[in-house]
Amino acid sequence: MNYREFGRTGWQVSEISFGAWAIGADWGNVQKDDAIAALHTALDEGVNLFDTADAYGDGRSEKLLAQLKRERSEDFYIITKVGRRLNPHTADGYNRENITRFVERSLKNLETDTLDLVQLHCPPTDVYYRPEVFGVLDNLVQAGKIRYYGVSVEKVEEALKAIEYPNVQSVQIIFNIFRQRPSELFFREAQRRKVGVLARVPLSSGMLTGKFSNASIFGKDDHRQYNRHGEAFDVGETFSGVDYDLSLEAVEQLRAFVPEGMSMAQFALRWILMFDAVSCTIPGAKNPEQARANAQAARLAPFSQEIMSRVQRVYETLIKEETHHLW
Ligand SMILES: NC(=O)c1ccc[n+]([C@@H]2O[C@H](COP(=O)([O-])OP(=O)(O)OC[C@H]3O[C@@H](n4cnc5c(N)ncnc54)[C@H](OP(=O)(O)O)[C@@H]3O)[C@@H](O)[C@H]2O)c1
């Protein structure tokens, strides 16, 4: 594993870290034993940062991470998110009372006195224009409830606005072969301000593993079935918001560039690591095999300019026109 600076926190984080949404819920049933084994395997492979949220399985994901902490002696970071338990999910809901209540619940779920880092969980855009929300987070840092805070955003514009607040330490954003706009202005600004960047949905919800086809079937409790058109939350969170058949077409073209001995999932992860502004990427994994394969992408050699240009051409000819302007 290689480690990268995480903004101004002084943390060195594993460049392949772990996304703990799927072990919580919304991706079909994941057995507890598989989930715990995936977490242990990630740690064994040198992963030292786990991204979760209070909403993932309504606390299930956080509780699994608390169990991991009990079962292991080494240090690692658990970063969580708050806000998505609001119903309705409105900007007004991001107030002192609710944020404090959510943080207290995560402290309990994670069995700790201080949360390593709390992210606002893709709040409505309006929240970024309310300095008082960031003031509440500052107060929670002062009170010792949280060590640092950051944001998880849908759009580049939200990311750019969020990092104007001086104590925002990190931005989590969708960045993958099918979602490239963050690498333009946002990455430059994040580097300039020394803000940690977490690249989420790195496998485009599994599409960039190359394992899906027209015949793939997803369960009713899998967002790849029930959120295909943004029915439950932002459509960009499911297959990066790229049409399923178009994604399959692009994957077929990308497949030809994957060097021997490398899986397509590892190719997609290694591509993300080519960007210095990225502190880490957080692929989701449902079992130890996926966790191991993903972590091992960190061992692969950097890509040549030739490979990067070929990937770029696929993006520009098939994907860019459909989605580049949306997020
Ligand atoms: N709003 C937010 O803040 C937000 C939104 C989305 C995600 N996130 C964070 O970002 C993390 C990553 O994104 P994501 O989980 O949505 O998508 P992802 O990492 O692009 O895809 C994860 C899925 O791909 C499949 N997979 C993973 N590794 C594989 C491998 N080596 N071989 C084959 N299949 C593999 C697994 O599902 P199957 O085996 O079922 O195919 C897994 O659940 C999340 O876990 C979460 O921590 C945050």
Side-chain angles (χ1 to χ4, degrees):
M1 183 54 68
N2 303 308
Y3 298 84
R4 296 188 182 192
E5 261 182 29
F6 191 69
R8 308 175 302 276
T9 59
W11 298 358
Q12 291 285 326
V13 300
S14 48
E15 55 187 15
I16 304 283
S17 287
F18 189 100
W21 179 18
I23 61 168
D26 303 315
W27 290 76
N29 183 36
V30 179
Q31 294 293 325
K32 187 174 176 192
D33 287 352
D34 285 334
I36 285 289
L39 294 173
H40 276 286
T41 301
L43 267 186
D44 293 341
E45 292 290 334
V47 166
N48 75 347
L49 182 144
F50 296 80
D51 174 71
T52 183
D54 61 358
Y56 295 165
D58 201 23
R60 182 187 192 225
S61 175
E62 288 185 329
K63 287 177 186 164
L64 289 167
L65 284 161
Q67 180 177 339
L68 181 70
K69 221 165 32 175
R70 265 185 268 121
E71 292 176 356
R72 298 288 287 243
S73 58
E74 57 268 69
D75 288 331
F76 54 90
Y77 302 112
I78 300 174
I79 69 171
T80 192
K81 311 186 199 77
V82 298
R84 283 280 158 173
R85 294 179 61 250
L86 287 168
N87 187 14
H89 182 239
T90 61
D92 287 344
Y94 284 78
N95 55 43
R96 181 175 302 275
E97 190 194 336
N98 286 336
I99 294 174
T100 306
R101 188 162 51 87
F102 294 150
V103 163
E104 290 293 349
R105 184 171 176 273
S106 288
L107 284 166
K108 224 175 256 155
N109 285 346
L110 286 164
E111 300 171 19
T112 185
D113 296 328
T114 308
L115 299 173
D116 289 331
L117 181 137
V118 166
Q119 304 155 96
L120 299 179
H121 198 167
C122 291
T125 306
D126 226 25
V127 165
Y128 300 103
Y129 294 86
R130 298 187 180 190
E132 62 273 22
V133 173
F134 297 86
V136 170
L137 293 167
D138 284 330
N139 293 156
L140 286 165
V141 172
Q142 287 148 12
K145 298 284 184 186
I146 65 182
R147 216 157 266 129
Y148 296 111
Y149 64 83
V151 293
S152 183
V153 303
E154 300 288 6
K155 293 175 193 283
V156 164
E157 284 66 26
E158 293 167 343
L160 291 168
K161 180 65 190 165
I163 63 177
E164 287 181 11
Y165 295 97
N167 298 327
V168 167
Q169 303 286 349
S170 63
V171 171
Q172 181 181 138
I173 192 163
I174 299 182
F175 179 62
N176 63 41
I177 291 175
F178 289 170
R179 179 71 75 86
Q180 299 200 18
R181 190 158 164 259
S183 67
E184 298 175 350
L185 179 60
F186 170 61
F187 279 4
R188 281 204 302 282
E189 281 300 296
Q191 275 186 306
R192 192 170 69 79
R193 293 179 192 259
K194 277 200 98 184
V195 170
V197 173
L198 300 120
R200 79 166 180 268
V201 195
L203 302 172
S204 199
S205 313
M207 175 59 73
L208 285 166
T209 65
K211 66 182 177 182
F212 295 138
S213 71
N214 283 324
S216 301
I217 293 170
F218 302 95
K220 274 204 201 102
D221 52 353
D222 188 327
H223 73 101
R224 292 170 295 188
Q225 170 67 30
Y226 69 74
N227 196 50
R228 200 64 85 76
H229 306 287
E231 296 89 335
F233 43 81
D234 193 292
V235 67
E237 303 295 348
T238 302
F239 297 125
S240 309
V242 180
D243 173 73
Y244 188 82
D245 291 329
L246 185 62
S247 292
L248 289 177
E249 194 184 337
V251 162
E252 278 325 303
Q253 294 195 14
L254 292 168
R255 207 185 286 284
F257 315 150
V258 180
E260 233 185 312
M262 192 184 291
S263 71
M264 189 150 182
Q266 291 174 325
F267 180 84
L269 296 173
R270 190 64 191 85
W271 180 88
I272 290 171
L273 299 181
M274 293 299 290
F275 295 79
D276 292 340
V278 171
S279 315
C280 64
T281 183
I282 47 171
K286 291 173 153 178
N287 55 49
E289 293 72 33
Q290 290 182 353
R292 184 174 304 110
N294 293 344
Q296 291 185 354
R299 299 181 186 177
L300 302 168
F303 290 162
S304 64
Q305 200 43 56
E306 171 67 16
I307 288 192
M308 294 304 284
S309 309
R310 286 181 177 186
V311 171
Q312 198 58 26
R313 267 199 297 282
V314 173
Y315 178 70
E316 300 215 344
T317 51
L318 287 180
I319 310 287
K320 189 171 183 179
E321 193 180 324
E322 195 194 6
T323 59
H324 197 78
H325 54 291
L326 293 178
W327 292 277

